[in-house]
Amino acid sequence: MIQPITELTAAQLRRRMQLTSLPFATTADAPELNEIIGQERATRAIEFGIEIPYQGYNIFAMGPVGAGKTTIITGFLQRKAQTRPVPHDWGYVHNFNDPDRPHALRLPPRGGAGVRAEVDQLLNQVAETLSKAFTSEQYAEHRGALVHQLDQQRADRLRQLDQFAREQGFVLVRLPMGLMVSPLKDGQAMSQEQFEALSEEEKQVFHTREPIIQDALERTMRQVREINDEAEVRLTNLDREIAAVTTKPLFDRVEAAYADWPDITEFLSSVHTHISEHTDDLRRPAEAEEESEGAQGGAEGESAQPSLWFRPAAGSPYDRYRLNVIVDNSALTNAPVVLETNPTYLNLIGRVEMRAEYGTLVTDFRHIKAGALHRANGGYLVLDARSLLRQPLAWEALKQALRNQCIRIEEMGQQMGVLATASLAPEPIPLDVKVVLIGDPSTYYLLYEYDEQFEKLFKVRADFAVEMAWTAENEQKIAQFIRSRCEEEHLPHFDISGVAKVMEYSGRLVEDQRKLTTRFAHVTDIVREAAFWAQRAGHTLVTAADVDKAIDERVYRSNQFEERLREMIADGKIMIATQGAIVGQINGLAVLQLGDYSFGRPSRITARTYEGRSGIVSIEREARLSGRIHDKGTLIITGLLGGRYAQDKPLSLNASITFEQAYDSIDGDSASAAELIALLSSLADAPIKQSLAVTGSINQHGEIQAIGGVSDKIEGFFEACKAMPPGLSGEQGVVIPASNVSNLMLKEDVVAAVAAGQFHIYPVRTLDEAIELLTDVPAGERGAEGAYPPDTINGRVDRRLRQLAEQLQRFGRPPAKEGHSKSAREPEKQPPHEPELPTDEPEPPRPQTTARRRHQPRPPWAMTP
């Protein structure tokens, strides 16, 4: 026995927030919000990923757009970061052994800038100290004495050589090109003419002694060179000793201040050693500068102060001793939280910049710049997954850094193997960071499927929900959320009625009376817009009227196409009947999605049945205007008909079903119940009330199943009924699945019309309930003998199907013989090919004859029944 259908009351069509459920009168009195709303599962996952200390437990935050993932995660991480200390600063310094590989320097937390200032001050002091030391009278006397001593040694060697040469009859002659020996006569060196005038015996004597003198000359010159070398070494050692001794106290002071930082003390020690060993490199630019200034001459040159040697000016050799601090955490009080909105390769791992000098690009360690990984080191890095994957090499660079636990700065050209130019290769920096990727579910599953390293590096999935339970506790949390938005954006606060409207709007977004949305980006938008209209109206508090105004204005900005369709329905251009009863015709309901706006549209569905064996033909399917889900609904109808009516006869019929005046693509199975009712109406010759519209999908057992967009569909038919004359008659309504009652969050005007008896909403659970309501004819149940009562819908359909099967079986057979009245000369003519009739099972639906475009994109105005 079919239970009578109970019409829904106005109270069942929309859940309202009780104004007494909140313990405060306005959001200004609400407590401050300090927790994540409705994301307990995601919160626990994020907390687990942050706390677990092992490698690879980075986080992928997964959820729909607008769920507030970035805001929620950033706020959560900032609170967690307050419990962690400030990490080390980092810098790069010159590598004296290999200048192309700068050293990475670990610096005190928040102390990198201080160390850099100390080093700069130290270099200034070193320059001043060396300038004084090498321009002092004591240094000049010491150096002069050493030079005089070495000069005396050279003079002694040359004097001894000259004496030996004279003893052998030769004399040393100093020429511009060096020393040479010449024969001696009368105490003077002979000229060439004098030597030629000598006798052969005298010449022979000189020739005999010449090798001895030449050997002595070479030996002496070697000794002089050795003395010169010794002199250079002794002078250099003197400069080194003076530089080392005079600057040692300066370096000792700074090293003592950073005794607990081995990297800094080692760097300072290497700088001290290098300065002591390369004083000439430091002095030469200053000397050239002094010579340039001195060349200007005149009174100005005499009055000007002499420039100091070793002055560390820009571009001076002192630059190699400076410190490049790439990570300066001086502004932090806890661990860093970095949100990188443009995660390119260079922005992620850092870069080495170039500068142009004389038409050539040059660089050094001072031009190394940090990336997001450097700034987030010791804390948390938040990245958008899709933005990251769109950047060349960025995803691979992130994986490499996480896998190796270090940041290695390399040029993109070197990574791609297309750049052969020599560049810097900075020493890698150890990495300790938790990375949070934010993305949608499809991105997560694609990475998990196609990147084998993804699951090893991002072991924690934080799954953000799109809805939460509508409870008193969550009502208070949303009120606190509104309060936070008002405080942060300097908006007027909401009174309780305004909060209630926002709460109900949140429930409508998820289409559920038991749920509230967690997509707080949409809630924030309506809060801002309601505050705007409240300020425009001069209200000190945002009220329910202001929220309604914001919602209405938002709809008005987007519903131009909806209004145009409504006008076409009212003008009769789109044919929709809201009165009377017609066989094989029913009002179906569909949802049109236009960007961020959706609305319901009624559509006329018609069915025609006739004799044949093709079964049910969907005209949309044949015209390739339907999607796969809609086609599935059509096949389910065939299965239901076979199971219900073809147990004792073949299912032999032709039936066509279509959405009239639908010229765009259609998908979804929520019109399958309406299509089946139209088909049964045609078979049973039972008129369907046109004042009612139907939505719901059907299964093979005749049960009405839940569908989506139920509120939009009801409102779409409601507006059509209002637009068509004579308007609401008190008979119109919508038949919906009973399982969708909890999804109703209808507009106030629909609720008011139902309360006034002008519009009706009927929940049904089965096909039989729906068809009784629509035809006022009992559906009928099988009796003990398996037959349906004849005056019911099922009885009529069963009888009609039997008639169609019998008619098809009789079609084409010869007339019956009448004894032997025919002449033997007129033999009976048989048809050449008697058609084969179905016997037990109905023929399956005709397969599609043309290849379907499976991936044909749907237009934005495609209907979803």
Side-chain angles (χ1 to χ4, degrees), residues 683-699:
L683 289 170
D685 194 26
I688 297 175
K689 297 177 184 177
Q690 300 300 296
S691 59
L692 297 178
V694 178
T695 183
S697 68
I698 195 80
N699 63 25

Side-chain angles (χ1 to χ4, degrees), residues 525-572:
D525 288 342
I526 208 65
V527 167
R528 294 191 186 109
E529 294 171 20
F532 169 81
W533 292 112
Q535 291 172 327
R536 175 72 65 88
H539 298 165
T540 57
L541 292 174
V542 181
T543 64
D546 299 317
V547 179
D548 285 337
K549 174 69 172 177
I551 295 173
D552 292 341
E553 289 292 329
R554 174 180 281 257
V555 171
Y556 181 75
R557 294 194 297 268
S558 303
N559 74 339
Q560 183 176 4
F561 186 67
E562 178 186 11
E563 289 186 353
R564 178 60 179 154
L565 283 177
R566 197 178 304 156
E567 291 175 2
M568 296 174 70
I569 292 174
D571 294 341

Side-chain angles (χ1 to χ4, degrees), residues 343-364:
T344 63
Y345 177 83
L346 298 180
N347 289 347
L348 197 61
I349 69 165
R351 61 192 180 276
V352 179
E353 295 180 343
M354 301 283 184
R355 69 179 186 275
E357 288 187 0
Y358 306 107
T360 304
L361 293 177
V362 297
T363 188
D364 56 37

Side-chain angles (χ1 to χ4, degrees), residues 117 155 221 245 332 334 439 471 502 633 709 725 729 749 793 804 844 850 861:
M221 293 310 297
V245 171
L332 298 180
N334 46 253
T471 62
V502 173
S729 63
D749 53 350
I793 294 294
L804 290 174
T850 56
W861 55 84

Side-chain angles (χ1 to χ4, degrees), residues 2 148 187 218 227 347 360 420 425 457 487 593 599 652 654 706:
I2 297 176
H148 178 73
E218 293 177 358
I227 292 173
N347 289 347
T360 304
L457 298 175
E487 293 287 342
Q593 185 76 39
F599 61 93
S652 303
N654 279 358

Side-chain angles (χ1 to χ4, degrees), residues 599-660:
F599 61 93
R601 172 196 168 176
S603 296
R604 173 178 290 181
I605 300 174
T606 59
R608 299 301 298 269
T609 56
Y610 45 94
E611 186 177 299
R613 294 188 299 171
S614 297
I616 300 174
V617 175
S618 170
I619 294 178
E620 275 69 34
R621 178 181 179 183
E622 295 301 313
R624 291 183 294 180
L625 289 176
S626 63
R628 289 176 293 180
I629 299 177
H630 181 268
D631 294 342
K632 177 185 176 182
T634 304
L635 297 176
I636 289 175
I637 292 175
T638 302
L640 185 147
L641 290 177
R644 178 172 287 199
Y645 304 111
Q647 299 299 316
D648 55 351
K649 57 185 171 301
L651 189 62
S652 303
L653 83 159
N654 279 358
S656 62
I657 303 176
T658 187
F659 284 74
E660 303 289 355

Side-chain angles (χ1 to χ4, degrees), residues 488-508:
E488 292 176 3
E489 303 184 21
H490 307 289
L491 305 175
H493 281 280
F494 283 59
D495 67 9
I496 293 300
S497 67
V499 173
K501 283 295 180 181
V502 173
M503 208 77 63
E504 294 167 16
Y505 176 77
S506 174
R508 180 176 171 86

